[in-house]
Amino acid sequence: MNTLSYKTVSANKATANKEWVVVDAEGQPLGRLASKVAKILRGKHKTNFTPHADCGDNVIVLNAGKITLSGNKWADKTYIWHTGYPGGQKSQTAEELLKKDPMKVLEKSLKGMLPKNKLGSQLFKNLYLYEGTEHKHEAQQPKTININEFK
């Protein structure tokens, strides 16, 4: 019996087969969409997933500003940050953030679902958000996936 066949294969930059994927966010719930896109960005849906390597796909999200939130979350969900000065705590509701920058709500949600280290920053660069249905990545021949049928 060949015992070399039992070796664990670890993906790296050379062996990771990265693809381009298009996702339509119109009418999708924020959390469900963000968790599925984060899973694709991380590469957890692939058989050669390696926790310490970037083996996920490049994701293009169209209609990023047309996500939905259930219940009273548009008014109740708050985003809090601190300016660094005394008394500098600021907050915004999800509705205010959507009016200011429509893609920021999905961007913050996705960033929170990625690792908080250099790998997470690298994975976040594989995400491309667009407000409309047009994008500039046609040369990469991205495949469109239905996020509702994605596991």
Side-chain angles (χ1 to χ4, degrees), residues 13 27 32 84 126 131 150:
K13 191 179 268 190
R32 291 173 192 264
N126 295 335
E131 264 187 85
F150 188 78

Side-chain angles (χ1 to χ4, degrees), residues 73-85:
K73 289 183 194 147
W74 284 116
D76 294 345
K77 186 174 179 66
T78 57
Y79 295 93
I80 300 171
W81 70 96
H82 199 280
T83 62
Y85 289 97

